[in-house]
Amino acid sequence: VRKTNFFNKYLIIFVIGIFPLAFQSCEDPLSVNVFPVSKDVQLGEELDSEIRNNPSEYPILENKELTQYLQGMVDEIIRSPLIEYEDEFAYEVRIINDDENVNAFAVPGGYIYVYTGLMKYLDREATMAGILAHEVAHAERRHATQRITTAYGAQFLAGLLLGENPSELEQVVSGILTNLALLQNSREDEYEADEYSFKYLQSTKWYPGAIMFFFDKVDQDRDAGFLEELLSTHPMPQDRINAVQQMIDNAGLPAPDESNLFSDRYEQYKSMLP
Ligand SMILES: [Zn+2]
């Protein structure tokens, strides 16, 4: 609940900011995003600032060398020709020093946060690359602002058309406050992030299917309590796993080896983590 408070605050600010644009949102409600890209940037900057100013919830690991390892990976991923917003978005990665949390997340505008719990859980650099590319995809595909558009675009239009009644506006805004589901990526967003992760990695040195090692491990540990948070924010049904396997099969890739998995280098890196 704590985590959602600052999101809500900014949802109000930014949803109010889209009023003039809502008039244009009569296209396919599933794909339209009424926010300009600059709103993703602005929203991301504000959320990142909230996160950095909340060290009890998000204890950022202030270690340039350790952070640079992940940053270098993100820098390589965003050189993919499929990346559209490398100039607009920050694409900055931060490590959150919390071994209990086996997770990673992104906010709009390309700020990516990786928990040490996840870093230690993985065994291969290529798998970390797959997860970073997945988070890049959430930002790049603008999932957060698209979800807000889908959920509230039509509602806002209706509210506006009903007249300039402030209490009506209040109701819509309080609707956002209670709709916590908005803060989570949808199942479709997860599929799309997996799909683009694979595509982005195809132009890198990493085996694009290495996120499967993570899925397999999670599947084995599914009933262990420490994955609860991960599974609540990133559902991993068998068909999501199958979808990635399908991409691997379709791409006709040879079996991976150390030359594109980099497990030795990754183990070395892990040993330097606090
Ligand atoms: Zn995701």
Side-chain angles (χ1 to χ4, degrees), residues 175-241:
I176 295 168
L177 283 169
T178 55
N179 192 345
L180 302 180
L182 249 196
L183 305 172
Q184 298 227 338
N185 287 305
S186 70
R187 194 185 170 91
E188 289 69 32
D189 292 345
E190 293 307 332
Y191 281 110
E192 190 176 66
D194 289 341
E195 181 193 339
Y196 276 82
S197 167
F198 189 92
K199 290 178 178 171
Y200 296 154
L201 290 192
Q202 281 183 303
S203 56
T204 69
K205 59 178 174 277
W206 296 291
Y207 174 62
I211 201 167
M212 279 301 280
F213 294 108
F214 174 59
F215 290 164
D216 288 343
K217 195 165 181 174
V218 167
D219 208 37
Q220 279 165 27
D221 296 334
R222 188 169 283 277
D223 299 325
F226 66 95
L227 292 179
E228 204 180 329
E229 166 78 14
L230 171 80
L231 292 170
S232 73
T233 56
H234 282 84
M236 289 191 200
Q238 189 59 43
D239 50 353
R240 184 177 165 200
I241 297 173

Side-chain angles (χ1 to χ4, degrees), residues 27-172:
E27 298 157 46
D28 176 9
L30 292 176
S31 64
V32 76
N33 187 333
V34 298
F35 292 86
V37 172
S38 60
K39 285 289 180 199
D40 288 55
V41 172
Q42 191 185 350
L43 184 55
E45 281 171 3
E46 308 235 18
L47 292 172
D48 179 62
S49 158
E50 292 273 352
I51 287 167
R52 283 186 289 112
N53 289 318
N54 187 359
S56 57
E57 178 87 2
Y58 305 102
I60 305 285
L61 182 70
E62 302 291 352
N63 182 311
K64 278 201 179 116
E65 196 188 348
L66 293 174
T67 306
Q68 186 50 46
Y69 175 78
L70 296 187
Q71 186 64 54
M73 293 173 74
V74 169
D75 292 347
E76 183 160 345
I77 291 162
I78 64 170
R79 282 201 286 272
S80 159
L82 296 171
I83 297 287
E84 291 177 65
Y85 303 117
E86 71 271 31
D87 294 332
E88 289 87 350
F89 289 176
Y91 285 121
E92 271 181 51
V93 61
R94 311 199 194 289
I95 297 171
I96 303 175
N97 193 4
D98 179 357
D99 284 353
E100 302 301 307
N101 207 329
V102 183
N103 210 353
F105 65 98
V107 302
Y111 297 91
I112 297 165
Y113 310 85
V114 186
Y115 288 91
T116 50
L118 174 69
M119 297 166 74
K120 291 177 184 180
Y121 187 67
L122 304 180
D123 306 303
R124 298 161 183 88
E125 189 182 280
T127 307
M128 175 54 83
I131 288 168
L132 291 172
H134 173 104
E135 298 304 334
V136 165
H138 279 311
E140 201 44 42
R141 306 300 299 163
R142 307 182 61 213
H143 286 154
T145 47
Q146 190 176 61
R147 224 160 39 245
I148 297 167
T149 303
T150 306
Y152 291 101
Q155 203 174 346
F156 266 98
L157 252 183
L160 276 178
L161 294 174
L162 284 169
E164 288 104 51
N165 184 345
S167 73
E168 205 109 44
L169 177 63
E170 283 297 312
Q171 276 179 11
V172 180

